[in-house]
């Protein structure tokens, strides 16, 4: 895919991968439908006049199910998708978006708030009149 990023096919494949990433981040049904729509466009690039080529639509449906946690053999489906991504930054973003073991950042409730004792311990400055 990276050999000629200016080809319309390459740009469409990249747009499809980005749409899958967007779904992985949002898990929104509209984003899933967008990814499926782009998958249909990529399938049509195969030139099948009878619309028999459904590889990308089928793959997208499997990916969305796996990302949502509903698909069969979720890890294998996701690993196959990640193996096909040539762009390192995109691959890392997808990995981060679908990480199952991520924990949300903890809120720091005990963080000290600045108050009157902010300057305590510092030597006082005398105003110089020079």
């Amino acid at each position: 895919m990276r050999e000629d990023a200016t080809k319309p096919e390459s740009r469409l494949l990249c747009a499809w991968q980005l749409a899958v990433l967007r779904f992985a981040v949002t898990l929104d049904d509209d984003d899933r439908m967008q990814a499926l729509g782009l998958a249909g466009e990529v399938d049509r690039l195969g030139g099948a006049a009878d619309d028999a080529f459904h590889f990308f639509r089928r793959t997208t449906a499997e990916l969305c199910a796996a990302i949502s946690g509903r698909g069969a053999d979720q890890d294998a489906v996701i690993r196959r998708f990640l193996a096909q991504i040539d762009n390192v930054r995109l691959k890392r973003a997808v990995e981060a978006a679908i990480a199952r073991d991520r924990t949300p950042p903890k809120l720091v409730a005990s963080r000290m708030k600045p108050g009157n004792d902010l300057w305590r311990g510092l030597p006082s400055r005398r105003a110089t009149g020079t």
Side-chain angles (χ1 to χ4, degrees), residues 13-116:
L13 280 172
C14 185
W16 171 70
Q17 290 172 336
L18 288 171
V20 171
L21 170 61
R22 182 178 179 129
F23 172 74
V25 170
T26 65
L27 297 177
D28 187 59
D29 197 46
D30 289 338
D31 292 328
R32 183 181 63 82
M33 295 304 292
Q34 178 70 26
L36 284 167
L38 282 167
E41 289 183 39
V42 176
D43 282 341
R44 283 190 284 283
L45 286 177
D50 61 355
D51 201 30
F53 187 66
H54 299 290
F55 174 78
F56 284 95
R57 281 177 276 187
R58 186 174 51 252
T59 301
T60 304
E62 289 173 358
L63 267 170
C64 290
I67 290 168
S68 304
R70 294 183 309 242
D73 203 12
Q74 301 166 8
D75 291 333
V77 170
I78 291 171
R79 274 194 310 269
R80 275 194 312 267
F81 178 65
L82 288 172
Q84 295 170 353
I85 299 175
D86 293 334
N87 185 316
V88 176
R89 292 186 300 172
L90 178 60
K91 184 181 286 193
R92 286 181 186 157
V94 171
E95 288 171 341
I98 61 177
R100 301 226 188 308
D101 61 346
R102 65 180 173 190
T103 56
K106 294 181 181 178
L107 294 175
V108 182
S110 64
R111 188 177 289 172
M112 292 185 61
K113 296 179 183 167
N116 293 337

